[in-house]
Amino acid sequence: MQEGGAVQTGPDGLNTKDALILGIDFGGTKILSAVADRNGNIFGSDYRKTPADQGPEGVVEEVIRSARATLNTLSLTPSQISAIGVAAPGLVNPDSGIVHTSPNLAGWKDVPVRDMIRERLGPETFLLNDGNAGTLAEATLGAARGVSECVYVALGTGIGGGIVIRGEIYEGSRGWAGEIGHMAIDMDGPLCRCGARGCWEALASGSALERQMKRRLVEDSGRERLSFPEHPGKVSARSIYLAALNGDALAAELIAETGRYLGVGFANLINIFNPEMMVIGGGLSTMGDLLLAPAVEEAKKRAFRRSFHAVRFAPAELGLNSGVLGAALFAWRKQGPRHPR
Ligand SMILES: [Zn+2]
């Protein structure tokens, strides 16, 4: 049996067909599906873009095409999969299998994603929020293995994540807890995709960093200090990061400022949950110390001293696979092992 999340496509790996689960993770920009076992071994996967402009029907259709493509690469039929786990963005009800709303997917309202997928593919299907899926994966197979109290922070276009209390995902009364990206940091701050002002993800995410850079490029266009080479329309978090690495002072300044906003949120989470570990993942976290050193510094200034010193900051270990693996684990747990081995 392989350890960790190693990709494995050899025929020998498929002896456990009856224990295989299809995990699906879809968001506003990408769809990832993978066949995995409960130990996090991935046997085949498919990655494609989300046709977000095609509404719920078009997106779910593409999700099903991705799932079928994954199964085809392994010569599996849906009936050979024991269950399907689906991670979706936004307010998700795991009991009803409905995505109520999603800031990343315009026009989505009360979409019965679980039943739409189950009707088309067949196996029993389970739905959960993508932040909770990533949290479940990191807490079970990743950086927070064996950690009882932790907070997972996924830094990307927005900020996702989740909360683990006594080793279990904290879901709240209806399954909507853990929306850490929408804690208010500045009541008069920039408008968030959720409709409120000054949310953490409106100030400390990749899109917040991009917005700040675009604003500064426009405001400061007549000044000499501009070494940032990009046209404002082409600014991305990655191009800002590369510019900072190349010595661009403005890029470094804005990344550090984004880091300080990040640290304000860290301090709030540390004071509220007194976690043993903060797991930091998502594409933006690959900026490393440029972003995270000012964040930890700010958190240290603001959090209670004892709580701050009790927490370890750890990088996420599962990368892009955390969502699909969490979805698969969720399905495994909900369904229970039908084929104990
Ligand atoms: Zn918000």
Side-chain angles (χ1 to χ4, degrees):
M1 191 56 73
Q2 287 73 34
E3 296 287 319
V7 175
Q8 215 248 35
T9 53
D12 292 348
L14 297 179
N15 294 335
T16 56
K17 266 179 190 169
D18 54 2
L20 292 176
I21 293 177
L22 178 67
I24 298 169
D25 176 23
F26 76 93
T29 55
K30 56 105 183 82
I31 297 167
L32 183 58
S33 60
V35 169
D37 67 16
R38 67 191 160 124
N39 297 317
N41 299 303
I42 290 177
F43 299 98
S45 61
D46 176 82
Y47 180 89
R48 57 184 70 202
K49 285 187 175 161
T50 304
D53 56 341
Q54 292 176 23
E57 299 283 340
V59 170
V60 172
E61 191 60 40
E62 194 66 14
V63 164
I64 287 162
R65 274 196 281 269
S66 173
R68 291 215 159 105
T70 297
L71 294 174
N72 283 343
T73 63
L74 300 169
S75 303
L76 291 170
T77 63
S79 64
Q80 291 173 290
I81 292 293
S82 72
I84 300 172
V86 184
L91 282 189
V92 171
N93 186 327
D95 294 328
S96 64
I98 288 172
V99 176
H100 292 293
T101 59
S102 186
N104 301 334
L105 292 162
W108 282 53
K109 188 168 191 314
D110 298 334
V111 181
V113 170
R114 180 191 67 196
D115 292 349
M116 290 165 82
I117 291 175
R118 184 177 185 173
E119 277 164 21
R120 298 289 301 281
L121 291 175
E124 195 169 8
T125 303
F126 301 91
L127 181 76
L128 83 166
N129 169 270
D130 56 1
N132 283 346
T135 307
L136 180 59
E138 287 292 341
T140 310
L141 302 165
R145 284 185 311 276
V147 174
S148 175
E149 331 292 332
C150 84
V151 179
Y152 170 60
V153 184
L155 302 171
T157 316
I159 299 180
I163 296 147
V164 174
I165 295 177
R166 297 197 184 100
E168 298 286 337
I169 305 288
Y170 179 67
E171 292 184 306
S173 66
R174 297 282 192 279
W176 305 330
E179 290 290 341
I180 58 175
H182 300 283
M183 71 170 125
I185 301 291
D186 176 357
M187 67 185 235
D188 298 318
L191 199 59
C192 181
R193 288 178 299 181
C194 74
R197 281 199 176 276
C199 293
W200 198 24
E201 79 165 34
L203 290 159
S205 65
S207 52
L209 174 61
E210 288 166 17
R211 192 192 55 245
Q212 280 296 89
M213 178 57 88
K214 286 175 186 171
R215 188 176 64 80
R216 291 287 290 267
L217 287 178
V218 170
E219 279 178 6
D220 301 353
S221 59
R223 295 186 205 163
E224 196 188 333
R225 51 116 219 98
L226 261 191
S227 58
F228 195 75
E230 301 262 355
H231 182 274
K234 289 184 178 173
V235 165
S236 68
R238 179 166 173 75
S239 68
I240 297 168
Y241 174 58
L242 293 175
L245 285 184
N246 286 325
D248 185 285
L250 176 61
E253 176 196 325
L254 293 185
I255 291 172
E257 183 182 283
T258 303
R260 287 195 297 278
Y261 278 117
L262 204 52
V264 175
F266 286 170
N268 292 344
L269 293 167
I270 289 168
N271 281 347
I272 294 170
F273 294 107
N274 177 212
E276 180 183 341
M277 181 181 280
M278 301 271 295
V279 179
I280 315 297
L284 205 68
S285 68
T286 59
M287 288 186 179
D289 278 351
L290 275 180
L291 178 75
L292 297 177
V296 172
E297 189 62 29
E298 190 66 31
K300 187 179 182 181
K301 281 186 209 158
R302 291 172 179 269
F304 288 133
R305 194 173 57 85
R306 283 175 188 278
S307 296
F308 178 81
H309 287 296
V311 74
R312 275 183 294 154
F313 291 87
E317 292 181 1
L318 302 172
L320 288 175
N321 289 332
S322 63
V324 277
L325 286 175
L329 282 169
F330 184 72
W332 175 269
R333 286 189 179 189
K334 287 285 177 186
Q335 184 201 40
R338 289 190 309 190
H339 305 276
R341 300 172 68 238

